[in-house]
Amino acid sequence: MSNRRVEAEAGSESVLGQTLTRIRPTSGVSTRTLAGLCGLVPVLVATLYRVVHNAPGDLTGGLSELATLWLPATIIGPAVAAFLLASTAETVWERVGSAFVGGFSLVALASPLAWYPAAIGIVVGGAMVVWSRWERLGQERPTPVIRELGVASVLVAGVAFSLAATAGVAPATLRPLGSAVALVGIGATPALVGWDSRSLYVGALAAILTFSFATTTPYVAGAVLLVGGGVVGTPLVLVLFGVGGGVTALTHAVVSRRPDVAAGGALLLAAGVPSTLLGAAGVLVAVTLFASESRGEHR
């Protein structure tokens, strides 16, 4: 039985596929854009709260107790995003991988002990999405596609290293390694999204402003990068590369009027180093958006 036939039968008989098809939005917003926003909003809110909560003074006021109660539930956003992307997937591996990211994100809500299987399932799901791209290409792997898949693979590796460090596996080694790999992946996203002179200027400006912030107020910048971005033990040059590349990709997606890809770029920047399940799920939602968009699908 050919791979094409397997995918056709799986798509027609899969209960998951039939269920997810029913939740596609009927408004003018595309499914992919809605998925990007579902992933972006909770990740961005959680990141901003962590930064503000750790700022000098009691800026959060009475929000601390409310945040303690509701922040764990923010992972529902990336989970819904992953399910929405599964509903638009055109390969079995991508559909199952996205469903893994969504399903295991929800598993994390069951109990603290569910963190470990959830982390493994989320990483495996992201790897499936990247693998689906390889499988679809078959033996034809031109250089641009290898470059695109290399960036996606680096982002998934950054998730795997960072979550492994959070789980207590060689944290002294894997935490800075995960930070470095994640920043390299974020900085290289223009290889997935594209770039032009205008977006490069904006990205360079963002990197310059970050350098100025980090050198003039090093303690504040270090705290923001640690608390908000999860950056640990990483040279400043990698931070600048990540910020510059990420902003370049985001700007190019906005200018080229690709709201779904822009949401993915913003999601990468908001998630930072994916050392939490929320950040990891957000990054993998962005990877899925980039991987399917690079095929020219659902644009």
Side-chain angles (χ1 to χ4, degrees):
M1 183 180 294
S2 68
N3 186 55
R4 186 185 300 270
R5 184 178 172 186
V6 170
E7 292 182 3
E9 292 184 1
S12 62
E13 298 176 1
S14 171
V15 175
L16 174 64
Q18 295 172 3
T19 302
L20 291 173
T21 300
R22 299 190 187 102
I23 64 176
R24 293 184 183 184
T26 57
S27 65
V29 179
S30 72
T31 304
R32 287 168 47 81
T33 300
L34 181 61
L37 293 175
C38 285
L40 172 61
V41 172
V43 172
L44 182 59
V45 169
T47 299
L48 291 176
Y49 172 78
R50 287 196 301 269
V51 172
V52 173
H53 180 66
N54 286 272
D58 188 16
L59 299 180
T60 55
L63 291 178
S64 297
E65 294 183 2
L66 185 64
T68 301
L69 179 64
W70 288 105
L71 274 181
T74 53
I75 199 170
I76 294 175
V80 171
F83 285 132
L84 287 171
L85 291 174
S87 74
T88 66
E90 295 190 0
T91 68
V92 171
W93 282 104
E94 187 177 331
R95 185 180 306 124
V96 174
S98 296
F100 259 55
V101 174
F104 279 98
S105 294
L106 296 180
V107 165
L109 296 173
S111 76
L113 294 178
W115 190 96
Y116 296 97
I120 294 172
I122 287 173
V123 172
V124 170
M128 286 182 180
V129 171
V130 176
W131 174 255
S132 73
R133 181 66 169 136
W134 284 106
E135 185 186 46
R136 192 177 181 89
L137 290 172
Q139 299 301 317
E140 298 179 5
R141 298 180 179 176
T143 301
V145 172
I146 293 176
R147 182 185 66 238
E148 294 169 0
L149 291 176
V151 176
S153 300
V154 168
L155 288 169
V156 174
V159 171
F161 292 145
S162 299
L163 288 183
T166 301
V169 179
T173 300
L174 291 184
R175 192 171 299 280
L177 177 61
S179 294
V181 173
L183 289 171
V184 169
I186 295 171
T189 49
L192 288 170
V193 177
W195 68 87
D196 55 21
S197 59
R198 187 185 329 183
S199 61
L200 285 174
Y201 291 145
V202 176
L205 177 60
I208 291 171
L209 292 176
T210 301
F211 177 78
S212 176
F213 176 54
T215 53
T216 56
T217 57
Y219 295 106
V220 176
V224 170
L225 290 173
L226 174 62
V227 174
V231 178
V232 176
T234 305
L236 179 59
V237 64
L238 283 183
V239 175
L240 300 179
F241 177 71
V243 172
V247 172
T248 296
L250 172 59
T251 303
H252 183 70
V254 171
V255 171
S256 57
R257 297 181 181 179
R258 291 180 288 169
D260 51 345
V261 180
L267 185 49
L268 279 185
L269 290 170
V273 175
S275 56
T276 65
L277 291 182
L278 175 64
V283 168
L284 295 179
V285 166
V287 168
T288 305
L289 285 168
F290 294 151
S292 56
E293 200 273 346
S294 67
R295 296 198 299 262
E297 300 167 354
H298 310 296
R299 292 181 63 164

